[in-house]
């Protein structure tokens, strides 16, 4: 294994998640030989879809945003056949609910949020000002300035505590996987702009189609599944069982916990946890594809996925996805709250529970939106923990890592050279790791 000349000259990418696949595709299309080693039994990392009883179940609640610039750059979005959700949400309180929609997409609901009493007219003026500014400014400007917590950022804009608690906190809990609004305000503005620009939905055949599309652009045999890397060594990697795979360079594209195990000196961020439940209902409990967020905190969000993508169901029943922050979650308690939201859960079948311990890296301020991907010549790292915790961040980091490899080995093909000094000056030596490469989620 790895004994031939061509194998020794290949770039080894550790991990077939979104970042690793994006890196591998870029290197392959630049003419470099690539080998992708993945510990799991399929590509995608955290972005995978299982078929259970005829239902398509994404591993944790995930959505695709058509406005992500890197996704538009590297994916055939039309081929994904993205089924859109409504451009808005329903805010569920202890007994009442309110609707808030993007007014330029749902003009008949333009005043719905205001009439529901979620905030004052001034609050909606603040939200409109934030949206207009984020849409108008280039990303480079949004990344600059003072970085502070999202709750502090919203207060600085003049948003009231009621609007923050009744709308922004419950909505962003499902995006950032935390209710404290501790996440970087810079990250919030970049995400808010993408929500305002894009269409949110899921591919008709599941989120797993996204990594599959990238994997299909690699030559047959490029990806080896069930190959768990336990150590990065000079000139290659060592697999569980002792075999060594040689290569001219190594890109560690594992999740941050696994990357920290393989590379000393890599800062491992706090990871946000979430549990997603899937239920099959005899009929749809909400006849529209809209996200329901829960102010009470009993759950984070819930959605009838099949209202957007009927292909997620194999027998015509409705598929309901529900997420709750954390891991120690009782399905019966979740079912009780769903009964309050939807008006009963009689006849529902519990299909699966997905506890995701490391779903998203925490992004507390001051948050560096671009972390080094080049550790030294021949050793690189990528993943959403090197950019922003999102599919966009994973894809961008994969491109940046590929550009760093090309800059070192094929300068004329580099395209995206690292900024001078940006990825230099740190001696991050590889070390042995224990445990499997963890699956990737959002």
């Amino acid at each position: 294994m790895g004994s031939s000349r061509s194998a020794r000259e290949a770039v080894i990418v550790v991990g077939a998640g979104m970042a690793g696949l994006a890196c591998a595709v870029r290197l392959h299309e630049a003419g470099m030989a690539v080998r992708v080693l993945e510990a799991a039994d399929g590509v995608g990392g955290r972005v995978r879809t299982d078929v259970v009883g005829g239902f398509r179940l994404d591993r944790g609640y995930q959505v695709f945003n058509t406005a992500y610039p890197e996704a538009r750059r590297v994916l055939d979005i039309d081929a994904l056949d993205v089924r859109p959700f409504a451009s808005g949400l329903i805010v569920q309180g202890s007994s009442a609910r309110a609707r808030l929609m993007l007014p330029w997409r749902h003009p008949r609901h333009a005043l719905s949020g205001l009439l529901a009493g979620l905030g004052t007219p001034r609050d909606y003026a603040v939200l409109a000002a934030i949206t207009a500014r984020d849409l108008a400014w280039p990303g480079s400007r949004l990344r600059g300035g003072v970085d502070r917590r999202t709750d502090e950022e919203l207060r600085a804009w003049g948003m009231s505590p009621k609007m923050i608690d009744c709308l922004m906190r419950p909505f962003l809990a499902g995006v950032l996987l935390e209710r404290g609004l501790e996440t970087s305000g810079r990250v919030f503005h970049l995400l808010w702009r993408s929500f305002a620009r894009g269409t949110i939905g899921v591919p008709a055949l599941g989120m797993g189609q996204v990594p599959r599309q990238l994997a299909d652009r690699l030559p047959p045999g490029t990806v080896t599944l069930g190959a768990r890397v336990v150590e990065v060594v000079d000139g290659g990697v060592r697999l569980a069982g002792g075999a060594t795979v040689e290569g001219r360079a190594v890109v560690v594209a594992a999740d941050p916990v696994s990357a920290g195990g393989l590379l000393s000196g890599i800062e491992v961020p706090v990871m946000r946890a979430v549990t997603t439940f899937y239920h099959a209902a005899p009929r749809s409990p909400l006849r529209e594809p809209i996200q329901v967020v829960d102010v009470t905190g009993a759950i984070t969000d819930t959605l009838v996925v099949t209202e957007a993508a009927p292909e997620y169901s194999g027998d015509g029943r409705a598929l309901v996805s529900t997420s709750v922050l954390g891991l120690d979650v009782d399905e019966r308690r979740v079912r009780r709250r769903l009964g309050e939201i939807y008006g009963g859960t009689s006849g529902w079948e519990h299909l699966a529970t997905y506890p995701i311990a490391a779903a998203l890296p925490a992004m507390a301020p001051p948050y560096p939106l671009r972390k080094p991907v080049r550790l030294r010549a021949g050793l690189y790292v990528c993943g959403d923990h090197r950019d922003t915790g999102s599919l966009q961040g994973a894809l961008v980091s994969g491109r940046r890592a590929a550009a760093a490899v090309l800059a070192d080995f094929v300068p004329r093909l580099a395209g995206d050279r690292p900024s001078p000094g940006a990825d230099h000056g740190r001696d991050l030596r590889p070390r042995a790791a224990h445990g499997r490469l963890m699956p990737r989620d959002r």
Side-chain angles (χ1 to χ4, degrees):
M1 199 170 190
S3 60
S4 70
R5 182 175 182 270
S6 61
R8 288 196 302 269
E9 292 181 352
V11 177
I12 299 170
V13 177
V14 180
M18 295 304 303
L21 291 172
C23 178
V25 167
R26 174 74 180 96
L27 292 173
H28 164 66
E29 293 180 351
M32 297 196 76
V34 183
R35 292 197 64 181
V36 181
L37 305 176
E38 169 58 51
D41 60 357
V43 302
R46 283 177 281 177
V47 185
R48 292 185 62 180
T49 303
D50 298 324
V51 178
V52 177
F55 288 86
R56 300 182 190 277
L57 309 183
D58 296 326
R59 294 192 179 183
Y61 172 60
Q62 304 173 35
V63 295
F64 186 85
N65 188 334
T66 62
Y68 280 152
E70 195 67 14
R72 299 182 68 85
R73 176 176 176 169
V74 302
L75 296 169
D76 183 348
I77 293 179
D78 289 341
L80 291 175
D81 191 12
V82 176
R83 303 300 177 87
F85 301 153
S87 297
L89 51 86
I90 291 174
V91 181
Q92 179 72 48
S94 56
S95 58
R97 62 171 51 178
R99 178 185 297 269
L100 183 70
M101 312 297 286
L102 292 183
W104 57 91
R105 293 186 183 162
H106 302 275
R108 71 188 182 94
H109 294 296
L111 300 178
S112 58
L114 182 60
L115 295 174
L118 294 176
T120 66
R122 173 179 168 79
D123 284 323
Y124 287 96
V126 168
L127 195 59
I130 290 174
T131 305
R133 197 287 303 267
D134 290 355
L135 287 172
W137 278 18
S140 57
R141 290 193 69 183
L142 290 178
R143 295 185 187 100
V146 176
D147 194 18
R148 53 194 163 200
R149 291 167 48 121
T150 294
D151 57 350
E152 295 172 348
E153 179 72 7
L154 294 174
R155 287 196 295 268
W157 276 82
M159 188 173 289
S160 73
K162 181 179 181 180
M163 183 75 156
I164 293 173
D165 290 339
C166 292
L167 176 62
M168 304 305 289
R169 193 181 306 279
F171 167 63
L172 292 172
V175 178
L176 305 172
L177 302 188
E178 53 99 357
R179 289 189 179 273
L181 298 182
E182 304 161 3
T183 299
S184 156
R186 291 174 183 166
V187 172
F188 159 72
H189 284 295
L190 290 169
L191 289 172
W192 192 257
R193 179 177 68 163
S194 73
F195 293 143
R197 280 183 170 179
T199 296
I200 310 298
V202 291
L205 300 182
M207 285 293 294
Q209 294 300 302
V210 181
R212 173 53 58 192
Q213 189 181 105
L214 289 176
D216 286 348
R217 288 162 59 181
L218 296 170
T222 298
V223 180
T224 302
L225 301 176
R228 182 164 64 95
V229 173
V230 297
E231 186 178 7
V232 178
V233 297
D234 289 340
V237 298
R238 182 169 294 117
L239 303 179
T244 298
V245 181
E246 297 179 339
R248 69 190 304 186
V250 175
V251 181
V252 176
D255 66 274
V257 175
S258 297
L262 291 169
L263 300 165
S264 63
I266 289 291
E267 180 182 355
V268 180
V270 173
M271 299 300 291
R272 307 292 189 191
V274 65
T275 300
T276 298
F277 297 87
Y278 285 104
H279 293 92
R283 63 193 62 84
S284 178
L286 186 63
R287 297 312 299 264
E288 57 180 321
I290 190 168
Q291 182 183 22
V292 180
V293 300
D294 189 7
V295 174
T296 71
I299 64 174
T300 306
D301 49 63
T302 181
L303 175 84
V304 184
V305 183
T306 42
E307 285 297 309
E311 295 87 349
Y312 270 60
S313 173
D315 60 12
R317 286 184 292 170
L319 177 65
V320 182
S321 168
T322 304
S323 294
V324 184
L325 299 185
L327 300 176
D328 185 18
V329 183
D330 180 16
E331 190 269 339
R332 291 170 297 179
R333 180 174 65 86
V334 171
R335 179 84 71 98
R336 285 195 297 270
R337 181 56 177 155
L338 290 175
E340 296 167 355
I341 292 173
Y342 290 119
T345 60
S346 177
W348 286 28
E349 178 188 354
H350 176 213
L351 295 173
T353 298
Y354 287 89
I356 313 294
L360 191 74
M363 295 173 282
Y367 185 75
L369 294 170
R370 292 287 172 88
K371 296 179 183 177
V373 294
R374 182 187 188 276
L375 308 183
R376 58 173 171 79
L379 183 61
Y380 314 84
V381 61
C382 62
D384 61 359
H385 58 105
R386 312 311 293 173
D387 282 74
T388 57
S390 62
L391 187 145
Q392 163 74 7
L395 292 173
V396 168
S397 73
R399 170 169 55 85
R400 291 202 298 128
V405 173
L406 293 171
D408 283 342
F409 292 95
V410 196
R412 62 186 176 82
L413 295 177
D416 300 304
R417 289 175 178 272
S419 300
D423 296 326
H424 299 269
R426 299 169 68 198
D427 182 16
L428 304 181
R429 294 186 173 89
R431 61 182 173 84
H434 302 282
R436 294 181 64 84
L437 295 180
M438 298 178 65
R440 302 178 50 82
D441 294 293
R442 298 186 181 204

